Amino acid sequence: MNHLRSLSLVLLCLLTGFDAFAQSYTQTVRGTVQDADTREALIGAVVAVSGTEPRIAATTDLDGRFTLANVPVGRIDVEVRMMGYDDLRLTNQLVNSAKELVLTIRMQQALTQLQAAEVTGKKDRQQVRNDMAFLSARTIGVEETSRIAGGINDPARMVGTFPGVAGDPGGNNTVVVRGNSPKGVQWRLEGVEIPNPNHFSDDGSTGGPINVLNSDMIDDSEFYTGAFPAEYGNVYSAVFDMRLRDGNDQKREYTLKAGVIGTDLTAEGPIPGTNGGSYLANYRYSTLALLDGAGIVDYGGVPRYTDAAFKIKLPSAKLGTMELYGIGGRSAIIDEDRGTEGDTLFSRADVGSRMGVLGLGHTRTLGEHSFIYTNLSLSGNGSGTDYTESPAPGESAQELRHEDDLAKWTWRLSSTLNTRINAHHKLRSGIIISAEQFRMYSNSWDPDRDRMVVNLDRTGEGNTVQAFTSWRWRWNEQWTLTSGVHVLHYDLNNATSVEPRMALRYQQRPDRAFTLGAGLHSKTEALMTYLAQDVDAEGRIITPNEHLGLTRAAHLVAGYEQRLSEDVQFKGEVYYQYLYDLPVENDPASAFTANNMVEWFTNKPLVNEGTGYNRGVELSVEKYFTRGYHYLVTASYSESKYKALDGQWHNSRFNIGPVANVLAGKEWELGPADKDRTLLAGFRWSVQGGQYYTPIDLQASIATGEQQDGTPVWSEKAGAIHKVDVVASYRVGRPKVSHEFKADVQNVLNADTPVFYYYDQRTKTIKDWPQLAVLPVMQYTLRF
């Protein structure tokens, strides 16, 4: 009994970190304050922690830097005030005992000096950094992502909680936004377009099961769902605009994570010999691959992936700030189908993918009213597949049925000039030049010809030139207007698009606003679609889609915002998107459109003669994280239809209909408030309508040996997807070190609604593919 008591005491001391004998935990909060329009350091700004007694405050120095020492651990609000600028309040900043909190704060110039002295309002927590965006935009908070049930530290999964956004019930982080195909989503990093940053993906897709971008590397980023500002081009559905955070420029810090998703290490710190220079680096490897290599687990189809990222920041008083950054990842899996008995190899798929980005950014202030940001990047992505199967049941020999090798490299040079004419008027203009080289090969079995047929075999290059200009006019404290134009030219098909944009915001009262936005948008198709080849009746190789044009859309959005209380916000938007020049099959009897595809390509002959529309309404009520808890309730309904050359209106595959989310989280401080011990629990319930599909003709499929579609097309709707996710974490901190244990369980009730249906040749039956089963994601985090 004495031994048990001694052991219990030891365990209790380890969990509490001997807090009974330790002093109160505090941490340093540091950062810089800049002018949002010029990036100049602001001297004399007052930065303070709200509600502290005695007051914790500091004034920025000649470099715009500030230091708040001995800030109690936990969540704080930071207030920033300076004459001539709008007051700013950063809410819900998490202070950890193991790591300093480093902030980059950018302030907007006030319309008048008098107003600057009187402003007391808070910044909307949903407001994005881009002051050209008024509506259909939302900040993706990194800390927020970590505490949302089902988010598993992936920003792409978190946006599934936003109104108008439907996640992939099959388990990928692919999103359907306002009825648009996921193909229309664009990823950006440090202000430039990048390839799909997900493992196990191919050129043409925008999602995947695991994001290459590690959450420890990402700063607060932005997500746009429509009526985009003029700087965003080559996109019509949604934009992920991601940023890498800066490393700590004064002390070295480390984060070690071990969990189901992966095992990774993040390091950051100052660069010797520089004033404010820092580095940040991360490396991650598949945990299952590590366990498989050690002989701890032994089963087929172990996913193997690795990724890395870094950012080096080098500021200079005369030359501006240079930032060198990069991300990259590789993934592979071998999947063997050995049937229910496991003694016969029916098929084998060897799949791999890779992507990477290396970039150099430069920011420099030009005079008192402007700054210019220039970025040069090299990105690459590729994938490969070898698929073999038994030619007949019971045969052990394998025959090749599909192989592909896809690779693309892109140089991008972009430069953006931001100029504040005065407090009322602001201009932003830029140019983006992209030069891509590619090597595309795909070879598949053709059952009609009873042989392998090459449907993609091309190397070459293509160039894209984009330019934009936008103007922001703050008429007064109530009315703000932005307008601009974006121009896109793609030389591979010699297509050009001129796209005017505008947005208007009317702040009727400090707690109420109306918004309106409209614009034209366009996007190129996946490169493979342009290069796909076929054989004509005379046996000649043709590329039917080489001159296919751009897919285009006109967006119209109206919104209403109402602050119900100090920390509760209601938002509603209605939208209409007219889709035109949709790529449809050049056959008057066909209803095929490439917009119903999620990935890959087709060699059907396409023409830009389809039309369609998306329309819907989105509502949300959000209680921000204050007083230890938060909640978000969203509801949206959309309708998505299209018309091909058959002249009939059809349901889009992504005519999902209703999407709703209810999520909440609660945080408890264990022990005294000045100790860093916290328990968090949260849940998310979500429901979304199923996607449409074309019924399968079973008898025709049996007769031909492969799946054959029935009629009418896109007439069947899959069942609604219900899912409950839960998250729980325990964080305990000591001076210079903290531990966090976290469990994030997706689909905790193990719902198994069918997502889609397919024909199984082996059993000669139609089978269904259910939604992702219960998935517990456990993780331990050590910060020091």
Side-chain angles (χ1 to χ4, degrees):
M1 181 66 69
N2 291 333
H3 291 295
L4 289 176
R5 289 176 179 173
S6 300
L7 180 59
S8 299
L9 179 60
V10 170
L11 291 175
L12 179 62
C13 291
L14 287 174
L15 286 175
T16 61
F18 299 98
D19 285 335
F21 311 102
Q23 59 183 356
S24 300
Y25 296 157
T26 62
Q27 186 55 272
T28 298
V29 177
R30 298 188 296 102
T32 57
V33 180
Q34 300 174 341
D35 184 301
D37 296 327
T38 67
R39 297 298 192 265
E40 281 190 305
L42 294 182
I43 305 169
V46 178
V47 185
V49 179
S50 303
T52 55
E53 187 61 40
R55 186 166 183 254
I56 301 176
T59 302
T60 56
D61 61 17
L62 294 177
D63 296 320
R65 298 173 180 270
F66 68 90
T67 300
L68 301 172
N70 300 318
V71 177
V73 296
R75 298 185 184 274
I76 63 171
D77 290 354
V78 178
E79 299 175 345
V80 190
R81 303 173 71 96
M82 182 170 179
M83 181 63 68
Y85 289 82
D86 291 336
D87 282 8
L88 194 61
R89 185 168 188 174
L90 307 178
T91 62
N92 195 39
Q93 302 297 308
L94 181 60
V95 180
N96 187 288
S97 63
K99 295 173 69 69
E100 292 184 340
L101 177 61
V102 182
L103 303 172
T104 299
I105 302 171
R106 290 169 182 157
M107 304 185 72
Q108 288 284 349
Q109 188 179 63
L111 290 179
T112 68
Q113 295 293 322
L114 178 61
Q115 288 172 334
E118 293 177 348
V119 171
T120 57
K122 296 182 181 180
K123 178 183 178 181
D124 178 6
R125 296 152 176 88
Q126 294 183 3
Q127 183 177 335
V128 295
R129 292 181 180 178
N130 189 343
D131 57 3
M132 295 288 180
F134 294 159
L135 72 173
S136 299
R138 172 66 190 261
T139 295
I140 308 172
V142 177
E143 188 275 330
E144 184 181 15
T145 302
S146 67
R147 55 179 162 81
I148 295 297
I152 57 175
N153 298 325
D154 184 350
R157 297 183 188 277
M158 188 212 164
V159 302
T161 66
F162 297 167
V165 181
D168 178 13
N172 282 353
N173 59 17
T174 306
V175 292
V176 173
V177 181
R178 293 181 170 176
N180 286 294
S181 167
K183 294 191 309 108
V185 175
Q186 180 184 105
W187 287 90
R188 295 166 68 93
L189 181 66
E190 297 296 310
V192 295
E193 184 179 350
I194 64 171
N196 179 4
N198 284 283
H199 289 295
F200 305 102
S201 63
D202 61 62
D203 188 59
S205 68
T206 61
I210 300 169
N211 203 312
V212 173
L213 282 165
N214 193 294
S215 60
D216 285 317
M217 297 292 296
I218 303 174
D219 197 357
D220 288 351
S221 302
E222 297 162 2
F223 184 67
Y224 300 86
T225 58
F228 315 116
E231 62 200 80
Y232 296 109
N234 196 29
V235 60
Y236 63 83
S237 174
V239 178
F240 282 98
D241 198 351
M242 315 299 287
R243 300 280 176 175
L244 298 177
R245 68 180 180 89
D246 296 335
N248 193 319
D249 61 357
Q250 292 191 10
K251 60 181 296 188
R252 289 190 296 272
E253 295 176 334
Y254 305 91
T255 300
L256 174 65
K257 288 184 177 180
V260 174
I261 297 298
T263 300
D264 65 270
L265 175 66
T266 303
E268 59 185 293
I271 297 178
T274 65
N275 181 19
S278 65
Y279 68 87
L280 175 67
N282 171 274
Y283 178 76
R284 177 173 60 177
Y285 194 79
S286 165
T287 300
L288 289 177
L290 288 173
L291 296 177
D292 180 61
I296 299 176
V297 297
D298 183 18
Y299 60 89
V302 174
R304 302 177 183 275
Y305 51 89
T306 182
D307 51 62
F310 74 92
K311 181 178 181 180
I312 297 174
K313 181 179 180 180
L314 296 171
S316 169
K318 295 182 179 180
L319 301 178
T321 300
M322 304 287 290
E323 294 177 340
L324 180 66
Y325 63 92
I327 65 169
R330 298 182 66 91
S331 51
I333 187 171
I334 297 176
D335 187 16
E336 295 182 343
D337 180 4
R338 294 186 172 272
T340 57
E341 300 298 328
D343 56 355
T344 302
L345 179 63
F346 291 96
S347 65
R348 183 181 190 272
D350 188 347
V351 182
S353 69
R354 58 200 180 275
M355 72 82 57
V357 179
L358 179 65
L360 177 64
H362 177 236
T363 304
R364 184 170 185 178
T365 298
L366 302 177
E368 298 180 355
H369 302 286
S370 303
F371 78 91
I372 187 170
Y373 175 69
T374 303
N375 193 301
L376 176 64
S377 69
L378 172 63
S379 62
N381 65 299
S383 61
T385 302
D386 287 310
Y387 175 73
T388 61
E389 65 179 26
S390 301
E395 292 190 17
S396 59
Q398 294 281 296
E399 293 186 357
L400 184 66
R401 288 294 182 263
H402 176 83
E403 62 177 341
D404 61 66
D405 181 16
L406 312 174
K408 184 174 69 175
W409 305 267
T410 305
W411 283 98
R412 282 191 178 88
L413 174 64
S414 68
S415 187
T416 301
L417 176 65
N418 196 91
T419 301
R420 181 179 63 216
I421 300 173
N422 53 43
H424 293 273
H425 300 280
K426 175 179 177 178
L427 297 175
R428 180 178 301 157
S429 302
I431 187 169
I432 307 106
I433 301 173
S434 304
E436 60 185 9
Q437 295 181 319
F438 51 82
R439 184 189 72 245
M440 301 282 175
Y441 177 80
S442 179
N443 188 23
S444 300
W445 179 261
D446 188 330
D448 294 332
R449 299 168 182 168
D450 196 32
R451 62 182 175 85
M452 297 289 289
V453 174
V454 175
N455 43 40
L456 189 63
D457 187 9
R458 184 82 171 269
T459 60
E461 59 184 27
N463 303 300
T464 305
V465 178
Q466 300 177 69
F468 70 90
T469 185
S470 54
W471 166 53
R472 183 173 188 260
W473 177 29
R474 297 175 68 190
W475 182 21
N476 53 34
E477 287 289 344
Q478 291 183 303
W479 292 93
T480 305
L481 170 73
T482 63
S483 62
V485 63
H486 188 102
V487 179
L488 166 67
H489 177 77
Y490 188 34
D491 74 352
L492 190 68
N493 56 5
N494 200 31
T496 301
S497 178
V498 180
E499 304 162 6
R501 320 271 178 88
M502 66 79 61
L504 181 69
R505 181 180 182 88
Y506 172 51
Q507 192 76 42
Q508 183 186 31
R509 303 186 325 209
D511 62 347
R512 179 182 298 167
F514 298 87
T515 54
L516 179 68
L520 300 182
H521 311 273
S522 66
K523 189 181 188 306
T524 59
E525 288 298 313
L527 182 62
M528 297 180 294
T529 300
Y530 294 114
L531 306 178
Q533 66 185 49
D534 202 354
V535 179
D536 64 11
E538 298 179 1
R540 295 173 300 185
I541 297 177
I542 59 173
T543 52
N545 302 319
E546 189 171 9
H547 300 292
L548 187 69
L550 305 173
T551 300
R552 304 172 191 262
H555 290 189
L556 177 64
V557 185
Y560 172 73
E561 304 173 10
Q562 177 69 54
R563 193 165 65 237
L564 304 179
S565 67
E566 187 71 9
D567 53 4
V568 179
Q569 177 94 352
F570 167 82
K571 283 193 175 184
E573 288 189 350
V574 294
Y575 63 88
Y576 184 85
Q577 300 178 349
Y578 173 65
L579 312 177
Y580 60 106
D581 289 353
L582 296 183
V584 297
E585 186 174 9
N586 191 16
D587 181 351
S590 172
F592 177 86
T593 175
N595 276 42
N596 281 330
M597 301 174 65
V598 176
E599 56 187 5
W600 208 231
F601 70 98
T602 179
N603 60 1
K604 295 178 183 289
L606 304 177
V607 291
N608 293 105
E609 297 183 18
T611 59
Y613 67 83
N614 303 314
R615 60 188 180 188
V617 58
E618 302 169 354
L619 305 173
S620 68
V621 176
E622 180 171 11
K623 193 249 178 223
Y624 305 117
F625 202 111
T626 58
R627 301 189 299 278
Y629 72 100
H630 72 101
Y631 63 78
L632 173 65
V633 180
T634 70
S636 58
Y637 186 87
S638 64
E639 182 183 53
S640 177
K641 295 194 174 184
Y642 76 98
K643 183 167 60 176
L645 291 189
D646 65 349
Q648 303 295 317
W649 283 101
H650 302 281
N651 291 301
S652 160
R653 174 180 179 176
F654 310 105
N655 188 13
I656 290 175
V659 178
N661 290 275
V662 178
L663 63 90
K666 171 65 177 174
E667 192 174 80
W668 293 270
E669 294 182 354
L670 306 181
D674 56 358
K675 307 297 182 183
D676 191 11
R677 294 201 307 274
T678 303
L679 176 67
L680 181 143
F683 77 94
R684 173 192 173 191
W685 171 79
S686 62
V687 60
Q688 66 185 54
Q691 296 183 9
Y692 274 87
Y693 65 94
T694 298
I696 299 172
D697 188 329
L698 179 59
Q699 296 307 316
S701 300
I702 294 175
T704 60
E706 63 176 357
Q707 182 171 310
Q708 299 294 326
D709 290 339
T711 56
V713 297
W714 306 109
S715 59
E716 300 291 330
K717 187 175 177 62
I721 305 296
H722 297 261
K723 186 164 71 85
V724 177
D725 305 326
V726 296
V727 63
S729 67
Y730 173 68
R731 185 181 70 246
V732 54
R734 300 173 62 185
K736 300 183 180 181
V737 65
S738 72
H739 309 268
E740 182 178 24
F741 305 88
K742 179 181 177 182
D744 192 344
V745 185
Q746 295 197 58
N747 194 13
V748 68
L749 300 181
N750 202 27
D752 59 353
T753 303
V755 177
F756 63 87
Y757 299 86
Y758 65 97
Y759 171 70
D760 184 6
Q761 171 62 12
R762 190 188 312 163
T763 61
K764 293 181 171 50
T765 60
I766 296 175
K767 292 187 176 182
D768 65 76
W769 187 278
Q771 70 186 92
L772 181 68
V774 57
L775 176 64
V777 179
M778 317 300 289
Q779 180 177 274
Y780 165 71
T781 303
L782 171 66
R783 297 182 176 90
F784 58 100

